[in-house]
């Protein structure tokens, strides 16, 4: 077991750090998650672990959760190959991600996006994965995964692909009503992926800011703001978070690369409060 723990610890420490889901209700890994909960394995970095553990304890509500320290030789708890764990990875074609994955895949070093239950791309909030970006958006990483698992479990959504994402989108869309009286924050180069003219046409207030400006704002009251997320890839993930209560209020998956959230997409959002 010590050798297994050493492998896990090495993988976590040597990798870089849209809710894309490959496993839904009915799949073995998803059932393991719902039945047994999820484990956060400490990385050995007390600052990073502190941020993640705090966010997990606040916002992971959908299953049981435990914190495991692989360096604690007195720990009587053991890890199993079937344990579902939180994991940071850097995947070719997907960037730096935060995911839910079965431990067995990590031990075999066969991590791929298809092995995950689901993941969220870290740079979708500001288009950068630098340390500051990860620290500022840890809450949203946890919330995004928690909210999507909750929807899949509550509605017993099975299958995958377009059908899965369409059901998640439909279930979440009514929550976007809370954007009506708030300002949508668009951080850094994320501004390249949304039509501000379409926002203005539909009466949606927005503010373009740098990640440094967001860091300052982050220390104050965020009641009047929502946060825009856009992960551009061979597929595209779009999300909006209500920063008053840190709730995922909009999430949409596009099966092919989408260059920008356009007038048609934004009109569908605004239609929710008419």
């Amino acid at each position: 077991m010590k050798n297994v723990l050493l492998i896990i610890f090495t993988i976590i420490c040597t990798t870089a750090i849209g809710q894309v889901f490959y496993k839904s209700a009915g799949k073995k890994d998803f059932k393991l998650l719902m039945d047994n909960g999820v484990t956060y394995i400490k990385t050995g970095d007390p600052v990073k672990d502190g941020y993640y553990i705090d966010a997990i304890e606040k916002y992971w509500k959908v299953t049981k959760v435990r914190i495991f320290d692989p360096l604690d030789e007195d720990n009587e708890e053991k890890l199993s190959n079937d344990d579902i764990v939180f994991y940071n990875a850097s995947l070719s074609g997907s960037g730096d991600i935060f995911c839910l994955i079965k431990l067995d895949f990590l031990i075999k070093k066969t991590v791929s996006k298809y092995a995950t239950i689901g993941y969220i791309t870290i740079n979708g909030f500001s288009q950068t994965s630098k340390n500051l970006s990860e620290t500022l958006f840890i809450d949203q990483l946890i919330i995004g995964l928690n909210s999507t698992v909750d929807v899949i479990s509550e509605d017993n959504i099975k299958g995958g692909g377009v059908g899965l994402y369409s059901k998640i989108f439909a279930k979440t869309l009514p929550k976007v009503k809370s954007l009506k009286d708030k300002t949508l924050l668009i951080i850094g180069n994320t501004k390249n992926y949304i039509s501000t003219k379409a926002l203005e046409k539909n009466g949606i207030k927005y503010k373009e800011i740098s990640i440094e400006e967001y860091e300052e704002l982050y220390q104050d009251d965020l009641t009047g703001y929502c946060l825009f997320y856009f992960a551009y890839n061979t597929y595209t993930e779009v999300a909006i978070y209500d920063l008053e209560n840190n709730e995922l209020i909009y999430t949409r998956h596009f099966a092919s690369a989408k260059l920008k959230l356009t007038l048609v997409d934004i009109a569908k959002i605004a239609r929710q409060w008419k």
Side-chain angles (χ1 to χ4, degrees):
M1 176 60 75
K2 286 186 177 180
N3 289 336
V4 171
L5 295 181
L6 180 60
I7 292 172
I8 296 166
F9 183 71
T10 302
I11 293 173
I12 290 176
C13 290
T14 57
T15 58
I17 49 172
Q19 295 72 251
V20 181
F21 271 69
Y22 291 103
K23 310 283 195 311
S24 57
K27 295 293 184 179
K28 178 184 176 182
D29 290 2
F30 195 89
K31 288 181 178 179
L32 287 171
L33 170 64
M34 299 311 299
D35 291 343
N36 303 327
V38 60
T39 299
Y40 177 83
I41 304 175
K42 287 187 175 181
T43 66
D45 181 336
V47 175
K48 180 177 180 178
D49 287 338
Y51 280 119
Y52 271 102
I53 292 171
D54 183 60
I56 289 167
E57 290 178 344
K58 284 182 180 178
Y59 299 115
W60 188 262
K61 306 295 183 183
V62 70
T63 70
K64 297 180 294 185
V65 64
R66 68 166 174 161
I67 310 301
F68 185 87
D69 186 349
L71 297 183
D72 184 0
E73 296 183 355
D74 296 326
N75 195 340
E76 296 182 357
E77 293 187 44
K78 304 297 181 183
L79 290 172
S80 162
N81 286 1
D82 281 341
D83 282 340
I84 305 299
V85 300
F86 288 119
Y87 181 63
N88 285 338
S90 183
L91 301 182
S92 175
S94 299
D96 295 342
I97 67 168
F98 183 69
C99 70
L100 294 164
I101 188 170
K102 191 166 70 170
L103 183 59
D104 186 45
F105 290 111
L106 303 186
I107 295 173
K108 294 177 180 178
K109 298 184 181 181
T110 55
V111 180
S112 76
K113 61 184 180 182
Y114 301 110
T116 68
I117 293 175
Y119 70 86
I120 182 168
T121 306
I122 292 175
N123 69 4
F125 299 100
S126 63
Q127 310 311 309
T128 176
S129 292
K130 64 181 182 179
N131 291 337
L132 177 58
S133 179
E134 182 185 8
T135 299
L136 288 176
F137 305 114
I138 285 177
D139 289 353
Q140 283 71 40
L141 297 179
I142 303 299
I143 293 163
L145 292 178
N146 180 85
S147 298
T148 308
V149 169
D150 191 30
V151 169
I152 293 173
S153 175
E154 183 179 342
D155 285 32
N156 195 32
I157 300 175
K158 297 180 180 179
V162 175
L164 170 63
Y165 294 114
S166 295
K167 291 174 183 176
I168 295 172
F169 170 68
K171 180 73 174 181
T172 309
L173 185 59
K175 297 180 180 180
V176 83
K177 293 177 183 177
S178 63
L179 174 61
K180 180 180 180 180
D181 300 314
K182 299 187 178 183
T183 298
L184 184 64
L185 295 178
I186 305 169
I187 302 176
N189 288 331
T190 310
K191 64 185 178 183
N192 297 329
Y193 301 111
I194 188 168
S195 170
T196 54
K197 289 184 179 179
L199 290 175
E200 293 166 2
K201 183 173 182 178
N202 284 278
I204 299 176
K205 299 186 293 293
Y206 70 92
K207 184 176 183 180
E208 297 178 3
I209 61 175
S210 67
I211 191 171
E212 289 77 18
E213 289 172 322
Y214 179 75
E215 183 183 24
E216 293 182 9
L217 189 63
Y218 184 78
Q219 309 300 324
D220 299 324
D221 185 7
L222 295 174
T223 299
Y225 297 100
C226 291
L227 178 63
F228 180 62
Y229 167 97
F230 192 101
Y232 173 74
N233 214 300
T234 51
Y235 56 84
T236 296
E237 282 288 321
V238 183
I240 298 175
Y241 294 81
D242 184 345
L243 294 178
E244 178 177 358
N245 51 17
N246 268 324
E247 183 180 16
L248 180 68
I249 60 173
Y250 179 90
T251 180
R252 190 168 183 185
H253 176 93
F254 295 90
S256 57
K258 187 176 180 65
L259 297 177
K260 182 174 290 191
L261 202 65
T262 62
L263 177 61
V264 173
D265 305 309
I266 293 168
K268 289 181 180 179
I269 293 174
R271 198 175 299 141
Q272 296 301 305
W273 55 72
K274 292 182 179 178

